[in-house]
């Protein structure tokens, strides 16, 4: 089997969020084997995909995502990475439909090399601030929202971009605040730099202290900031050490996530 490492939500290597991608010809192996491969790759997610056949199928490929610790319901950057590999290898053209735990997702390739993902919009609901959250984050929180079942994060709004960039949270303690982790966000200090808002994402409960660029988080960030700015189409900068840009388009109960990807490593999975 071929295995590839793809940097997603970036147009240059060694930036964005790296994901492992493994394509199978037939059925998936047992879950324990998939989990062991993901642990060996040791990136925030490894994607496993296999083709679906039959006229009754509403998708072209089955897609699953594993962190080093567990399988997850939704992952944006590893979906982008998988679509990039399918198009780069000629295994797919145009729009690809993926059957995943969160439903059918699509990925559409564009002439400039970017790819647009169609994901379900996160159902945001206001949440009470957990006790001690400011101390755990190391910053005052202006508002908090629950992001629904597929994501399972607490979305917290901070005062400004500087506060988001300066975060040095107690990551272990963050795990007590939500099912997966915490998304911290604030408006861009200077939108002329090419982005409207910033974020950082911490997911200790699935083995990811800080995720470099998180597509799934932007299905919550898109409705949050679209309501604030009064615009459906925005660009978010995830201000991790690697950084990455996600163009978001709110379309009611669906959110479009657009970005680029670069394959940086390709090899054989021998075990």
């Amino acid at each position: 089997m071929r295995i590839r490492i793809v940097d997603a939500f970036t147009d240059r290597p060694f930036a964005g969020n790296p994901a492992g991608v493994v394509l199978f010809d037939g059925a998936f192996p047992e879950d324990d084997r998939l989990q062991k491969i993901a642990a060996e790759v040791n990136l925030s997610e490894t994607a496993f995909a296999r083709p679906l056949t039959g006229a009754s199928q509403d998708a072209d490929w089955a897609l699953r995502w594993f962190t080093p610790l567990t399988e997850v319901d939704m992952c944006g950057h590893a979906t982008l990475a998988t679509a990039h590999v399918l198009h780069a290898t000629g295994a797919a053209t145009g729009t690809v439909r993926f059957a995943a735990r969160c439903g059918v997702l699509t990925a559409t390739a564009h002439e400039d090399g970017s790819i647009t993902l169609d994901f379900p919009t996160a159902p945001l609901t206001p949440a009470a601030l957990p006790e001690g959250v400011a101390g755990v984050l190391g910053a005052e929180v202006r508002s908090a929202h629950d992001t629904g079942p597929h994501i399972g994060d607490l979305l917290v709004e901070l005062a400004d971009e500087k506060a988001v960039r300066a975060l040095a949270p107690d990551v272990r303690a963050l795990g007590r605040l939500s099912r997966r982790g915490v998304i911290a966000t604030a408006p861009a200090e200077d939108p002329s730099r090419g982005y409207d808002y910033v974020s950082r994402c911490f997911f200790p409960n699935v083995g990811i202290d800080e995720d470099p660029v998180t597509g799934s988080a932007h299905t919550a960030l898109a409705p949050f900031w679209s309501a604030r700015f009064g615009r459906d189409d925005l660009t978010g900068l995830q201000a991790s050490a690697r950084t990455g840009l996600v163009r978001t388009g709110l379309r009611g109960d669906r959110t479009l996530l657009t970005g680029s990807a670069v394959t940086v490593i390709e090899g054989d999975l021998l075990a």
Side-chain angles (χ1 to χ4, degrees):
M1 290 181 295
R2 300 296 286 169
I3 185 167
R4 297 166 176 87
I5 306 300
V6 179
D7 291 342
F9 292 115
T10 181
D11 59 2
R12 65 186 191 277
F14 313 121
N17 198 353
V21 178
V22 180
L23 305 181
F24 294 98
D25 293 329
F28 289 124
E30 62 277 7
D31 291 359
D32 180 65
R33 179 168 171 78
L34 297 179
Q35 187 62 73
K36 286 179 177 177
I37 294 171
E40 187 77 7
V41 175
N42 200 33
L43 297 173
S44 57
E45 264 92 10
T46 297
F48 301 98
R50 67 175 182 87
L52 297 172
T53 58
S56 63
Q57 297 289 350
D58 58 0
D60 309 302
W61 291 76
L63 180 60
R64 300 174 70 179
W65 312 279
F66 286 76
T67 77
L69 293 182
T70 188
E71 186 172 8
V72 296
D73 287 350
M74 182 189 295
C75 179
H77 85 280
T79 304
L80 179 63
T82 303
H84 169 78
V85 169
L86 291 175
H87 285 94
T89 59
T93 58
T95 296
V96 184
R97 301 171 301 165
F98 295 109
R101 284 170 60 160
C102 58
V104 175
L105 312 172
T106 64
T108 301
H110 306 293
E111 290 185 1
D112 65 357
S114 66
I115 294 172
T116 295
L117 309 178
D118 184 328
F119 270 48
T121 300
L124 292 181
T125 55
L129 288 179
E131 184 178 354
V133 63
V136 171
L137 273 174
E140 292 298 322
V141 176
R142 288 190 166 183
S143 69
H145 289 75
D146 181 82
T147 58
H150 288 311
I151 301 179
D153 296 327
L154 183 70
L155 173 66
V156 297
E157 178 190 9
L158 305 187
D160 52 34
E161 181 174 336
K162 289 186 177 68
V164 173
R165 290 183 178 275
L167 286 177
D170 180 343
V171 177
R172 299 281 77 76
L174 283 182
R176 299 192 295 268
L177 302 181
S178 67
R179 181 166 60 88
R180 184 173 72 164
V182 171
I183 306 165
T185 189
E189 180 179 341
D190 181 4
S192 69
R193 295 176 180 170
Y195 55 91
D196 301 289
Y197 58 89
V198 297
S199 65
R200 288 176 67 191
C201 296
F202 307 93
F203 306 136
N205 290 342
V206 293
I208 306 166
D209 285 356
E210 181 170 5
D211 199 34
V213 190
T214 314
S216 61
H218 285 77
T219 67
L221 291 163
F224 181 83
W225 288 113
S226 289
R228 298 294 181 95
F229 295 142
R231 291 185 285 127
D232 290 337
D233 297 319
L234 302 169
T235 299
L237 172 74
Q238 196 151 331
S240 65
R242 292 175 64 102
T243 74
L245 290 171
V246 183
R247 301 199 302 275
T248 59
L250 186 63
R251 303 293 184 266
D253 64 354
R254 307 296 295 185
T255 294
L256 305 180
L257 311 171
T258 300
S260 299
V262 181
T263 300
V264 293
I265 297 174
E266 182 174 348
D268 293 318
L269 185 62
L270 300 178

